[in-house]
Coordinates of all heavy atoms in Angstrom, one line a residue:
A1 N -58.8 17.3 -27.5 CA -58.5 18.7 -27.3 C -58.8 19.1 -25.8 O -59.7 18.6 -25.2 CB -59.5 19.6 -28.1
K2 N -57.9 19.8 -25.3 CA -58.0 20.2 -23.9 C -58.9 21.4 -23.7 O -58.8 22.4 -24.4 CB -56.6 20.5 -23.3 CG -56.6 20.6 -21.7 CD -55.2 20.8 -21.2 CE -55.3 21.0 -19.7 NZ -54.0 21.1 -19.2
M3 N -59.8 21.3 -22.8 CA -60.9 22.4 -22.5 C -60.3 23.3 -21.4 O -59.9 22.8 -20.4 CB -62.2 21.8 -22.1 CG -63.2 22.7 -21.9 SD -64.9 21.9 -21.7 CE -65.1 22.2 -19.9
H4 N -60.3 24.6 -21.7 CA -59.8 25.5 -20.6 C -61.0 25.7 -19.7 O -62.1 26.1 -20.1 CB -59.4 26.8 -21.2 CG -59.2 27.9 -20.1 ND1 -58.1 27.8 -19.3 CD2 -59.9 29.0 -19.8 CE1 -58.2 28.9 -18.4 NE2 -59.3 29.6 -18.8
V5 N -60.8 25.5 -18.4 CA -61.8 25.7 -17.4 C -61.3 26.8 -16.5 O -60.3 26.6 -15.8 CB -62.1 24.4 -16.6 CG1 -63.2 24.7 -15.6 CG2 -62.5 23.3 -17.5
P6 N -62.0 27.9 -16.5 CA -61.5 29.0 -15.6 C -61.6 28.6 -14.1 O -62.4 27.8 -13.7 CB -62.5 30.1 -15.9 CG -63.7 29.6 -16.5 CD -63.3 28.3 -17.1
A7 N -60.7 29.2 -13.3 CA -60.6 28.9 -11.9 C -61.8 29.3 -11.1 O -62.2 28.7 -10.2 CB -59.4 29.5 -11.3
E8 N -62.4 30.4 -11.6 CA -63.7 30.9 -11.0 C -64.8 30.9 -12.0 O -64.6 31.4 -13.1 CB -63.4 32.4 -10.4 CG -62.3 32.4 -9.4 CD -62.6 31.7 -8.1 OE1 -63.8 31.6 -7.7 OE2 -61.7 31.1 -7.5
L9 N -65.9 30.6 -11.6 CA -67.2 30.7 -12.4 C -68.2 31.3 -11.4 O -68.4 31.0 -10.3 CB -67.7 29.2 -12.8 CG -66.9 28.6 -13.9 CD1 -67.4 27.2 -14.1 CD2 -67.1 29.4 -15.2
N10 N -69.0 32.3 -12.1 CA -70.1 32.9 -11.3 C -71.3 32.1 -11.5 O -72.1 32.2 -12.5 CB -70.2 34.4 -11.8 CG -71.2 35.2 -11.0 OD1 -72.1 34.6 -10.4 ND2 -71.0 36.5 -11.1
V11 N -71.6 31.3 -10.5 CA -72.7 30.3 -10.6 C -74.1 31.2 -10.7 O -75.0 30.8 -11.4 CB -72.8 29.3 -9.4 CG1 -74.0 28.5 -9.4 CG2 -71.5 28.5 -9.5
R12 N -74.2 32.1 -9.8 CA -75.3 33.0 -9.8 C -75.6 33.6 -11.2 O -76.8 33.6 -11.7 CB -75.3 34.1 -8.8 CG -76.4 35.1 -8.8 CD -76.3 36.2 -7.8 NE -76.5 35.6 -6.4 CZ -75.7 35.7 -5.4 NH1 -74.6 36.4 -5.5 NH2 -76.1 35.2 -4.3
E13 N -74.6 34.1 -11.9 CA -74.7 34.6 -13.2 C -75.2 33.6 -14.2 O -76.1 33.8 -15.0 CB -73.4 35.2 -13.7 CG -73.4 35.8 -15.1 CD -72.1 36.3 -15.5 OE1 -71.6 37.3 -14.8 OE2 -71.5 35.7 -16.4
I14 N -74.6 32.4 -14.2 CA -75.0 31.3 -15.1 C -76.5 31.0 -14.8 O -77.3 30.9 -15.8 CB -74.2 30.0 -14.8 CG1 -72.7 30.3 -15.2 CG2 -74.7 28.8 -15.5 CD1 -71.8 29.2 -14.7
R15 N -76.9 30.8 -13.6 CA -78.3 30.5 -13.2 C -79.2 31.5 -13.6 O -80.3 31.2 -14.3 CB -78.3 30.3 -11.7 CG -79.8 29.9 -11.2 CD -79.8 29.6 -9.7 NE -79.3 30.8 -8.9 CZ -80.1 31.9 -8.7 NH1 -81.3 31.9 -9.2 NH2 -79.7 32.9 -7.9
R16 N -78.9 32.8 -13.4 CA -79.8 33.9 -13.8 C -80.0 34.0 -15.3 O -81.0 34.4 -15.7 CB -79.4 35.2 -13.1 CG -79.6 35.2 -11.6 CD -79.3 36.6 -11.0 NE -79.7 36.7 -9.6 CZ -79.3 37.6 -8.8 NH1 -78.5 38.5 -9.2 NH2 -79.7 37.6 -7.6
T17 N -78.8 33.8 -16.0 CA -78.8 33.9 -17.5 C -79.9 32.9 -18.0 O -80.5 33.2 -19.0 CB -77.4 33.7 -18.0 OG1 -76.6 34.7 -17.6 CG2 -77.5 33.7 -19.5
L18 N -79.9 31.7 -17.3 CA -80.9 30.7 -17.7 C -82.3 31.0 -17.2 O -83.2 30.3 -17.6 CB -80.4 29.3 -17.3 CG -79.1 28.8 -17.9 CD1 -78.7 27.6 -17.3 CD2 -79.2 28.8 -19.4
G19 N -82.5 32.0 -16.4 CA -83.8 32.4 -15.8 C -84.3 31.3 -14.9 O -85.5 31.1 -14.8
M20 N -83.4 30.8 -14.1 CA -83.8 29.6 -13.2 C -83.6 30.0 -11.7 O -82.7 30.8 -11.4 CB -83.0 28.4 -13.4 CG -83.2 27.9 -14.9 SD -82.1 26.5 -15.2 CE -83.1 25.2 -14.5
S21 N -84.6 29.5 -10.9 CA -84.4 29.7 -9.5 C -83.3 28.7 -9.0 O -82.9 27.9 -9.7 CB -85.8 29.3 -8.8 OG -86.0 27.9 -8.9
Q22 N -82.9 29.0 -7.8 CA -81.9 28.0 -7.3 C -82.4 26.6 -7.2 O -81.7 25.7 -7.5 CB -81.5 28.5 -5.8 CG -80.6 29.8 -5.8 CD -80.2 30.2 -4.4 OE1 -80.9 29.8 -3.4 NE2 -79.1 30.9 -4.2
D23 N -83.6 26.5 -6.8 CA -84.3 25.2 -6.7 C -84.3 24.5 -8.0 O -84.0 23.3 -8.2 CB -85.7 25.3 -6.1 CG -85.7 25.6 -4.6 OD1 -84.7 25.4 -3.9 OD2 -86.7 26.0 -4.1
D24 N -84.8 25.3 -9.1 CA -84.9 24.7 -10.4 C -83.5 24.3 -11.0 O -83.3 23.2 -11.6 CB -85.6 25.6 -11.4 CG -87.1 25.8 -11.0 OD1 -87.6 24.9 -10.3 OD2 -87.7 26.8 -11.5
F25 N -82.5 25.1 -10.8 CA -81.1 24.9 -11.4 C -80.6 23.7 -10.7 O -80.1 22.8 -11.4 CB -80.3 26.2 -11.1 CG -78.9 26.1 -11.7 CD1 -78.8 26.5 -13.0 CD2 -77.8 25.7 -11.0 CE1 -77.5 26.5 -13.6 CE2 -76.6 25.6 -11.6 CZ -76.4 26.1 -12.9
A26 N -80.8 23.5 -9.3 CA -80.3 22.4 -8.7 C -80.9 21.1 -9.1 O -80.3 20.1 -9.5 CB -80.5 22.6 -7.2
A27 N -82.3 21.2 -9.3 CA -83.0 20.0 -9.7 C -82.7 19.6 -11.1 O -82.4 18.3 -11.4 CB -84.5 20.3 -9.5
V28 N -82.6 20.5 -12.0 CA -82.4 20.2 -13.5 C -81.0 19.7 -13.7 O -80.8 18.7 -14.5 CB -82.7 21.4 -14.3 CG1 -82.2 21.2 -15.7 CG2 -84.1 21.8 -14.4
F29 N -80.0 20.2 -13.0 CA -78.6 19.9 -13.4 C -78.0 19.0 -12.3 O -76.7 18.7 -12.4 CB -77.8 21.1 -13.5 CG -78.2 21.9 -14.7 CD1 -78.9 23.2 -14.6 CD2 -78.1 21.4 -16.0 CE1 -79.3 23.8 -15.7 CE2 -78.5 22.1 -17.2 CZ -79.1 23.3 -17.0
G30 N -78.7 18.5 -11.3 CA -78.2 17.5 -10.4 C -77.4 18.0 -9.2 O -76.5 17.3 -8.8
F31 N -77.6 19.2 -8.8 CA -76.9 19.7 -7.6 C -77.9 19.8 -6.5 O -79.0 19.6 -6.7 CB -76.4 21.2 -7.9 CG -75.5 21.3 -9.0 CD1 -75.9 21.9 -10.2 CD2 -74.2 20.8 -9.0 CE1 -75.0 22.1 -11.3 CE2 -73.3 20.9 -10.1 CZ -73.7 21.5 -11.2
S32 N -77.3 20.0 -5.3 CA -78.2 20.2 -4.1 C -78.4 21.8 -4.0 O -77.6 22.5 -4.5 CB -77.6 19.7 -2.8 OG -76.6 20.6 -2.4
V33 N -79.5 22.1 -3.5 CA -79.8 23.6 -3.3 C -78.7 24.2 -2.4 O -78.2 25.4 -2.6 CB -81.2 23.9 -2.8 CG1 -81.5 25.3 -2.5 CG2 -82.2 23.4 -3.7
N34 N -78.2 23.5 -1.4 CA -77.3 24.0 -0.5 C -75.9 24.2 -1.3 O -75.3 25.2 -0.9 CB -76.9 22.9 0.6 CG -78.1 23.0 1.6 OD1 -78.8 24.0 1.8 ND2 -78.3 21.9 2.4
Q35 N -75.6 23.4 -2.2 CA -74.4 23.7 -3.0 C -74.5 25.0 -3.7 O -73.6 25.8 -3.8 CB -74.2 22.5 -4.1 CG -73.6 21.3 -3.5 CD -73.5 20.2 -4.7 OE1 -74.5 19.8 -5.3 NE2 -72.3 19.8 -4.9
I36 N -75.7 25.2 -4.4 CA -75.9 26.4 -5.2 C -75.7 27.6 -4.2 O -75.1 28.5 -4.6 CB -77.2 26.3 -5.9 CG1 -77.4 25.2 -6.8 CG2 -77.5 27.6 -6.6 CD1 -76.4 25.0 -7.8
R37 N -76.4 27.6 -3.1 CA -76.4 28.7 -2.2 C -75.0 28.9 -1.7 O -74.5 30.1 -1.6 CB -77.2 28.4 -1.0 CG -78.8 28.5 -1.4 CD -79.6 28.3 -0.1 NE -81.0 28.3 -0.5 CZ -81.9 27.5 -0.2 NH1 -81.6 26.5 0.8 NH2 -83.1 27.6 -0.5
D38 N -74.2 27.8 -1.3 CA -72.8 28.0 -0.8 C -72.0 28.6 -1.9 O -71.1 29.5 -1.6 CB -72.3 26.7 -0.4 CG -72.8 26.2 0.9 OD1 -73.5 27.0 1.6 OD2 -72.6 25.0 1.3
W39 N -72.1 28.2 -3.2 CA -71.3 28.8 -4.2 C -71.7 30.2 -4.5 O -70.7 31.1 -4.6 CB -71.5 28.0 -5.6 CG -71.0 26.6 -5.5 CD1 -70.0 26.1 -4.8 CD2 -71.4 25.5 -6.3 NE1 -69.8 24.7 -5.0 CE2 -70.7 24.3 -6.0 CE3 -72.4 25.4 -7.3 CZ2 -70.9 23.2 -6.6 CZ3 -72.6 24.2 -7.9 CH2 -71.8 23.1 -7.6
E40 N -72.9 30.5 -4.5 CA -73.3 31.9 -4.8 C -73.0 32.9 -3.7 O -72.7 34.1 -3.9 CB -74.9 31.9 -5.0 CG -75.2 31.3 -6.4 CD -76.7 31.4 -6.8 OE1 -77.4 32.1 -6.1 OE2 -77.0 30.9 -7.9
Q41 N -72.9 32.4 -2.4 CA -72.7 33.2 -1.3 C -71.2 33.2 -0.9 O -70.8 33.8 0.1 CB -73.5 32.8 -0.1 CG -75.0 33.1 -0.4 CD -75.9 32.6 0.7 OE1 -75.5 32.1 1.7 NE2 -77.2 32.7 0.4
G42 N -70.4 32.4 -1.7 CA -68.9 32.5 -1.5 C -68.4 31.6 -0.3 O -67.3 31.7 0.1
R43 N -69.3 30.8 0.2 CA -68.9 29.9 1.3 C -68.0 28.7 0.8 O -67.2 28.2 1.6 CB -70.1 29.4 2.1 CG -70.8 30.4 3.0 CD -71.8 29.8 3.9 NE -72.9 29.3 3.2 CZ -74.1 29.9 3.0 NH1 -74.2 31.1 3.5 NH2 -75.0 29.3 2.4
S44 N -68.3 28.4 -0.4 CA -67.4 27.3 -1.0 C -67.4 27.7 -2.5 O -68.1 28.5 -3.0 CB -67.9 26.0 -0.8 OG -69.2 25.7 -1.4
R45 N -66.6 26.9 -3.3 CA -66.6 27.1 -4.7 C -66.5 25.7 -5.4 O -66.0 24.8 -4.8 CB -65.4 28.0 -5.2 CG -64.1 27.5 -4.9 CD -63.0 28.5 -5.2 NE -61.7 27.8 -5.1 CZ -60.8 27.8 -6.1 NH1 -61.0 28.4 -7.2 NH2 -59.7 27.2 -6.0
P46 N -67.1 25.7 -6.6 CA -67.1 24.4 -7.3 C -65.6 24.1 -7.7 O -64.8 24.9 -8.1 CB -67.9 24.7 -8.6 CG -68.1 26.1 -8.7 CD -67.8 26.7 -7.4
L47 N -65.3 22.8 -7.6 CA -63.9 22.3 -7.9 C -63.9 21.3 -9.0 O -64.9 20.7 -9.3 CB -63.4 21.7 -6.6 CG -63.3 22.5 -5.3 CD1 -62.8 21.7 -4.1 CD2 -62.4 23.7 -5.5
G48 N -62.7 21.2 -9.6 CA -62.5 20.1 -10.6 C -63.5 20.0 -11.7 O -63.9 20.9 -12.4
G49 N -64.0 18.8 -11.8 CA -64.9 18.4 -12.9 C -66.3 19.2 -12.7 O -66.9 19.4 -13.8
V50 N -66.6 19.6 -11.5 CA -67.9 20.3 -11.4 C -67.7 21.7 -12.1 O -68.7 22.2 -12.7 CB -68.2 20.6 -9.9 CG1 -69.4 21.4 -9.7 CG2 -68.4 19.2 -9.2
R51 N -66.5 22.3 -12.1 CA -66.4 23.6 -12.8 C -66.5 23.4 -14.3 O -67.1 24.1 -15.0 CB -65.0 24.2 -12.5 CG -64.9 24.9 -11.2 CD -63.7 25.8 -11.0 NE -62.5 25.5 -11.8 CZ -61.5 24.8 -11.3 NH1 -61.5 24.4 -10.0 NH2 -60.4 24.5 -12.0
A52 N -66.0 22.2 -14.8 CA -66.1 21.9 -16.2 C -67.6 21.7 -16.6 O -68.1 22.1 -17.6 CB -65.3 20.7 -16.6
Y53 N -68.3 21.0 -15.7 CA -69.7 20.8 -15.9 C -70.5 22.1 -15.9 O -71.4 22.3 -16.8 CB -70.2 19.8 -14.8 CG -71.7 19.5 -14.9 CD1 -72.3 19.1 -16.0 CD2 -72.5 19.5 -13.7 CE1 -73.7 18.8 -16.1 CE2 -73.8 19.1 -13.7 CZ -74.4 18.8 -15.0 OH -75.8 18.5 -15.0
L54 N -70.1 23.0 -15.0 CA -70.9 24.3 -15.0 C -70.5 25.1 -16.2 O -71.4 25.8 -16.8 CB -70.5 25.1 -13.7 CG -71.1 24.6 -12.4 CD1 -70.3 25.1 -11.2 CD2 -72.6 25.0 -12.4
L55 N -69.3 25.0 -16.7 CA -68.9 25.7 -18.0 C -69.8 25.1 -19.1 O -70.2 25.9 -20.0 CB -67.5 25.5 -18.2 CG -66.9 26.3 -19.4 CD1 -67.1 27.8 -19.3 CD2 -65.5 25.9 -19.6
L56 N -70.0 23.9 -19.2 CA -70.8 23.3 -20.2 C -72.3 23.8 -20.0 O -72.9 24.1 -21.1 CB -70.8 21.7 -20.1 CG -69.5 21.1 -20.6 CD1 -69.6 19.6 -20.3 CD2 -69.3 21.4 -22.1
I57 N -72.8 23.9 -18.8 CA -74.1 24.4 -18.6 C -74.1 25.8 -19.0 O -75.1 26.3 -19.7 CB -74.5 24.3 -17.1 CG1 -74.6 22.8 -16.7 CG2 -75.7 25.1 -16.8 CD1 -74.7 22.6 -15.2
K58 N -73.1 26.6 -18.8 CA -73.1 28.0 -19.2 C -73.1 28.2 -20.7 O -73.8 29.0 -21.3 CB -71.9 28.7 -18.6 CG -71.7 30.1 -19.0 CD -70.4 30.7 -18.4 CE -70.3 32.2 -18.8 NZ -69.1 32.7 -18.2
T59 N -72.3 27.3 -21.4 CA -72.2 27.5 -22.8 C -73.2 26.7 -23.7 O -73.5 27.1 -24.8 CB -70.7 27.2 -23.3 OG1 -70.4 25.8 -22.9 CG2 -69.7 28.1 -22.6
R60 N -73.6 25.5 -23.2 CA -74.5 24.7 -24.0 C -75.6 24.2 -23.1 O -75.8 22.9 -23.1 CB -73.7 23.5 -24.6 CG -72.4 23.9 -25.4 CD -72.7 24.6 -26.7 NE -73.5 23.8 -27.6 CZ -72.9 23.0 -28.6 NH1 -71.6 23.0 -28.8 NH2 -73.7 22.3 -29.3
P61 N -76.4 25.0 -22.5 CA -77.4 24.5 -21.6 C -78.4 23.5 -22.2 O -78.8 22.6 -21.6 CB -78.1 25.8 -21.0 CG -77.8 26.8 -22.0 CD -76.5 26.5 -22.6
D62 N -78.9 23.8 -23.4 CA -79.9 23.0 -24.0 C -79.3 21.6 -24.3 O -80.0 20.6 -24.1 CB -80.4 23.6 -25.3 CG -81.2 24.9 -25.0 OD1 -81.7 25.0 -23.8 OD2 -81.3 25.8 -25.9
D63 N -78.0 21.5 -24.7 CA -77.4 20.3 -25.0 C -77.2 19.4 -23.7 O -77.5 18.2 -23.7 CB -76.0 20.4 -25.6 CG -76.1 20.9 -27.1 OD1 -77.2 20.7 -27.7 OD2 -75.1 21.5 -27.5
V64 N -76.9 20.1 -22.6 CA -76.7 19.4 -21.3 C -78.1 18.9 -20.9 O -78.2 17.7 -20.4 CB -76.1 20.3 -20.2 CG1 -76.1 19.7 -18.9 CG2 -74.7 20.8 -20.6
R65 N -79.1 19.6 -21.0 CA -80.5 19.2 -20.7 C -80.9 18.0 -21.5 O -81.5 17.0 -21.0 CB -81.5 20.3 -20.8 CG -81.5 21.4 -19.8 CD -82.6 22.3 -20.0 NE -82.7 23.5 -19.1 CZ -82.6 24.7 -19.5 NH1 -82.4 25.1 -20.7 NH2 -82.6 25.6 -18.5
R66 N -80.6 18.0 -22.8 CA -80.9 16.9 -23.7 C -80.2 15.7 -23.3 O -80.8 14.5 -23.1 CB -80.6 17.3 -25.1 CG -81.0 16.2 -26.1 CD -80.7 16.7 -27.5 NE -79.3 17.2 -27.7 CZ -78.3 16.4 -27.9 NH1 -78.4 15.1 -27.8 NH2 -77.1 17.0 -28.0
L67 N -78.9 15.8 -23.0 CA -78.1 14.6 -22.6 C -78.6 14.1 -21.3 O -78.6 12.8 -21.1 CB -76.6 15.0 -22.5 CG -76.0 15.2 -23.9 CD1 -74.6 15.9 -23.7 CD2 -75.9 14.0 -24.7
L68 N -79.0 14.9 -20.3 CA -79.4 14.4 -19.0 C -80.7 13.7 -19.3 O -81.0 12.7 -18.6 CB -79.6 15.6 -18.1 CG -78.3 16.3 -17.5 CD1 -78.6 17.5 -16.8 CD2 -77.5 15.2 -16.7
A69 N -81.6 14.2 -20.1 CA -82.8 13.5 -20.4 C -82.6 12.1 -21.0 O -83.3 11.2 -20.6 CB -83.7 14.4 -21.4
V70 N -81.7 12.1 -21.9 CA -81.3 10.8 -22.6 C -80.8 9.8 -21.5 O -81.2 8.6 -21.5 CB -80.3 11.0 -23.7 CG1 -79.7 9.7 -24.2 CG2 -80.9 11.7 -24.9
A71 N -79.9 10.3 -20.7 CA -79.3 9.4 -19.6 C -80.4 8.9 -18.7 O -80.5 7.8 -18.2 CB -78.3 10.2 -18.8
A72 N -81.4 9.8 -18.3 CA -82.4 9.4 -17.5 C -83.3 8.4 -18.0 O -83.7 7.3 -17.4 CB -83.4 10.6 -17.1
R73 N -83.6 8.5 -19.4 CA -84.4 7.5 -20.1 C -83.7 6.2 -20.2 O -84.2 5.2 -19.9 CB -84.8 8.0 -21.5 CG -85.9 9.0 -21.5 CD -86.5 9.2 -22.9 NE -85.5 9.5 -23.9 CZ -85.1 10.7 -24.2 NH1 -85.6 11.8 -23.5 NH2 -84.2 11.1 -25.1
S74 N -82.4 6.2 -20.4 CA -81.6 5.0 -20.5 C -81.6 4.3 -19.2 O -81.7 3.1 -19.1 CB -80.2 5.3 -20.9 OG -80.1 5.9 -22.2
G75 N -81.5 5.1 -18.1 CA -81.5 4.5 -16.7 C -82.8 3.9 -16.4 O -82.8 2.8 -15.7
E76 N -83.9 4.4 -16.8 CA -85.2 3.9 -16.5 C -85.3 2.5 -17.3 O -86.1 1.7 -16.8 CB -86.3 4.8 -17.0 CG -86.4 6.1 -16.2 CD -87.3 7.2 -16.8 OE1 -87.9 6.8 -17.8 OE2 -87.3 8.3 -16.3
N77 N -84.8 2.4 -18.4 CA -84.9 1.1 -19.1 C -83.9 0.1 -18.7 O -83.9 -1.0 -19.3 CB -84.7 1.4 -20.6 CG -85.8 2.3 -21.2 OD1 -86.9 2.3 -20.7 ND2 -85.5 3.1 -22.2
G78 N -83.0 0.4 -17.8 CA -82.1 -0.5 -17.3 C -80.9 -0.7 -18.3 O -80.2 -1.7 -18.3
V79 N -80.8 0.2 -19.3 CA -79.7 0.1 -20.2 C -78.7 1.2 -20.0 O -79.0 2.4 -19.7 CB -80.3 0.4 -21.7 CG1 -79.2 0.3 -22.7 CG2 -81.4 -0.7 -22.0
A80 N -77.4 0.8 -19.9 CA -76.4 1.8 -19.7 C -76.3 2.7 -20.8 O -76.5 2.3 -22.0 CB -75.1 1.1 -19.5
A81 N -76.0 4.0 -20.6 CA -76.0 5.0 -21.6 C -74.6 4.9 -22.4 O -73.7 4.5 -21.8 CB -76.1 6.4 -21.1

């Protein structure tokens, strides 16, 4: 099934809905703080797969966190996820 990814996503709104600071959002979801600031201040915008990833964070944040934790544990054990 093809996922519709909107051309524009409000990163600040996603982050604030989750009650996270820019630093925390960046650290938890694997972005740099500079990326978050640039997106929120309109200096750049997320492109391609990053928009799809942000849409997943917006709609299923707990699932994304869980999957990232599983991936981190797998990486620590030297086992591919």
Side-chain angles (χ1 to χ4, degrees):
K2 188 172 180 178
M3 183 171 111
H4 170 72
V5 180
E8 299 295 328
L9 285 170
N10 187 332
V11 176
R12 178 179 284 125
E13 178 184 295
I14 295 168
R15 179 180 60 77
R16 286 184 173 168
T17 298
L18 297 175
M20 300 177 82
S21 68
Q22 289 179 337
D23 288 340
D24 290 342
F25 189 85
V28 168
F29 296 112
F31 301 110
S32 74
V33 176
N34 286 337
Q35 281 178 302
I36 304 302
R37 289 184 183 135
D38 286 348
W39 294 335
E40 290 187 2
Q41 294 171 7
R43 288 192 293 263
S44 66
R45 63 187 189 124
L47 301 174
V50 176
R51 283 199 326 266
Y53 180 46
L54 285 164
L55 185 60
L56 288 171
I57 293 167
K58 178 181 179 178
T59 58
R60 305 292 296 266
D62 293 336
D63 290 335
V64 173
R65 284 185 183 120
R66 181 178 52 77
L67 289 168
L68 290 171
V70 168
R73 284 194 305 274
S74 295
E76 290 169 5
N77 297 330
V79 177

